[in-house]
Amino acid sequence: MAKISTIGVLTSGGDAPGMNAAIRAVTRAAIYNGWNVKGILRGYEGLINNEIKELTSESVSSTIQRGGTILKTARSEEFMTVEGRKKAYDNMIASGIDALVVIGGNGSLSGAQIFAQEYDVPCIGLPGTIDNDLYGTDSTIGYDTALNTIVECVDKIRDTATSHNRIFFIEVMGRDAGFLAQNSAIAAGAEAAIIPEDQTDVDQLEQFISRGFRKSKNSSIVLVSESRKGGGAMYYAERVRNEYPQYDVRMSILGHLQRGGTPSAYDRILASRMGVAAIEALKDGQRNVMIGISNDKIVYVPFNKAIKIDKPIDKELINVLNVLSI
C-alpha cells in the first residue's frame, strides 16, 4: 500500500451540528501524525471543480462550537457519473491527496465506497447525519444536538397545545428512520410517535385515538417522522379533520430548524473521538470503513454494512412511550 503523506477531508450531503468538530479533529490528528491536510470545499462537487485548500491547525481554531460546516457541503449529481468521478480523481492526484476522510450520511458514504472501488483510494467515513440511520454506530454526529433542538421546540408548542385543548402533529426529520421522532417524543413527554419502523398493518393514527388519550388529557402532542411512505404531519392532521372532526387539530413542520445550532457537548466529544479514530484507522492501513461507536467504544464498520443494512429501532422505546403516555 502506498505511503500516505496528505489526506483530504470533505463534508457531503445535509449538514449536521458537530461536522466542524470532526473536521477539526481530523485536521489536528493528521498534523499530529506528520501528515498534510487538504480541505475540499462543497463535498464531492468541490473535488470535481478543484476547490481544494491547505488546512493548518490554525484553520480549524475556534470551530468546535460552530454549527454547519466550514468546508461547506453540497449534493453532487455529477459525482454519480463515471466521468464526474474521473475528474474528481484527477484533481485529487494533482493535489497530492493520498487518502480521503468523508463526513456525511448514507449517500456520502455510498459515493466514497464507489470511488474507493474504482480508484483504489483509501477512504474512511465519519457518520455525520442528524437522522442516526447508519448501521453499526449507536449514534451519528449531529443526532444528539438535533434531538435537543426538537425537544426545545416541542416544549414551546406544548404551551400552546395545552392553552387551547389541541392535538398537535409535529413533523421531524429522519427520512425513513424514526429515531428522532421516537426519542424526542419520550423526552418531550409526547402522547405518541408515528414512525416508519412501526408501520405494520396497524393504523397508527387509529391506535393513538383509540387509546383514549382524551380521558385524562386535554391536549396531545404527536411526533411524526417525515416519510416518503407515510405522508408526514399534514397527512395525519388532514385525516383527523376528516375522520374525527370533534378534535381541534394543528400541525407544525420543524424542517431545517433541526439541522442548525451549536453542537451539544456529546456531539463535540463524539466528533472529536471519531476524527482522531479516522486518522488512526488510516495509520493502521484500514480502508473503506466507517468509524462507528458501539457501547462507547470506537468500531470499524465496512461501508457496505453501514449503508446497506437497515438500523433497527429498539422496540423497547415504543413500549416506554406507550406506557408513559397514559
Side-chain angles (χ1 to χ4, degrees):
M1 182 184 141
K3 196 169 173 299
I4 294 172
S5 67
T6 301
I7 67 145
V9 59
L10 62 86
T11 49
S12 165
D15 65 307
M19 278 183 164
N20 285 328
I23 295 163
R24 172 182 178 269
V26 167
T27 302
R28 292 196 168 169
I31 292 167
Y32 178 86
N33 283 287
W35 293 347
N36 299 316
V37 187
K38 301 267 175 96
I40 298 151
L41 299 174
R42 281 174 266 284
Y44 295 122
E45 201 65 9
L47 205 50
I48 290 168
N49 298 327
N50 207 19
E51 297 179 76
I52 300 167
K53 64 175 186 181
E54 189 86 34
L55 290 182
T56 62
S57 195
E58 291 80 343
S59 311
V60 292
S61 283
S62 299
T63 58
I64 195 166
Q65 78 282 14
R66 288 169 60 184
T69 159
I70 55 167
L71 289 177
K72 308 283 191 250
T73 181
R75 300 184 193 275
S76 177
E77 295 289 321
E78 203 179 341
F79 194 76
M80 293 175 185
T81 67
V82 174
E83 300 75 24
R85 291 192 293 274
K86 173 80 170 78
K87 258 194 241 176
Y89 180 70
D90 291 344
N91 287 334
M92 194 184 114
I93 295 306
S95 299
I97 295 171
D98 308 304
L100 277 185
V101 176
V102 173
I103 307 164
N106 213 302
S108 309
L109 299 190
S110 300
Q113 184 185 28
I114 296 164
F115 196 54
Q117 281 167 352
E118 280 179 354
Y119 292 105
D120 198 27
V121 177
C123 286
I124 303 292
L126 294 188
T129 166
I130 65 166
D131 297 351
N132 197 30
D133 61 348
L134 286 163
Y135 178 85
T137 187
D138 293 344
S139 196
T140 57
I141 297 164
Y143 170 63
D144 183 68
T145 308
L147 203 51
N148 282 300
T149 302
I150 292 166
V151 170
E152 207 180 307
C153 293
V154 176
D155 287 349
K156 290 184 165 89
I157 289 170
R158 164 86 67 191
D159 295 345
T160 294
T162 46
S163 300
H164 291 275
N165 290 0
R166 282 176 178 158
I167 301 178
F168 256 95
F169 288 96
I170 301 172
E171 183 174 308
V172 299
M173 286 179 169
R175 209 168 47 174
D176 297 319
F179 297 97
L180 281 173
Q182 190 66 43
N183 282 304
S184 56
I186 293 171
E191 279 62 50
I194 294 178
I195 58 170
E197 290 89 343
D198 205 22
Q199 275 173 356
T200 48
D201 295 333
V202 180
D203 183 333
Q204 292 184 75
L205 179 67
E206 208 171 289
Q207 202 175 38
F208 157 63
I209 300 277
S210 66
R211 279 217 309 264
F213 71 97
R214 278 295 199 222
K215 284 181 203 146
S216 59
K217 302 191 177 190
N218 58 9
S219 73
S220 287
I221 301 260
V222 182
L223 274 289
V224 184
S225 222
E226 64 170 5
S227 171
R228 289 176 289 196
K229 301 189 283 271
M234 206 176 281
Y235 165 77
Y236 288 104
E238 207 44 53
R239 274 193 57 192
V240 170
R241 284 191 191 106
N242 293 332
E243 295 170 38
Y244 308 96
Q246 68 272 34
Y247 297 135
D248 189 11
V249 65
R250 294 288 185 279
M251 55 161 276
S252 186
I253 297 173
L254 298 186
H256 285 81
L257 186 72
Q258 299 160 77
R259 278 200 198 282
T262 299
S264 65
Y266 180 83
D267 272 331
R268 296 181 199 196
I269 295 163
L270 182 68
S272 298
R273 288 179 70 186
M274 286 180 164
V276 171
I279 298 304
E280 293 295 329
L282 286 171
K283 272 172 62 188
D284 291 346
Q286 292 283 341
R287 42 171 60 213
N288 305 352
V289 294
M290 177 190 85
I291 304 294
I293 193 126
S294 179
N295 296 325
D296 207 31
K297 292 273 180 286
I298 289 288
V299 291
Y300 298 154
V301 188
F303 278 160
N304 58 344
K305 280 196 170 172
I307 299 157
K308 302 259 180 347
I309 302 176
D310 280 340
K311 181 172 175 178
I313 202 159
D314 186 350
K315 291 288 192 272
E316 180 55 34
L317 293 171
I318 296 170
N319 182 48
V320 166
L321 185 60
N322 289 346
V323 169
L324 298 180
S325 64
I326 57 167

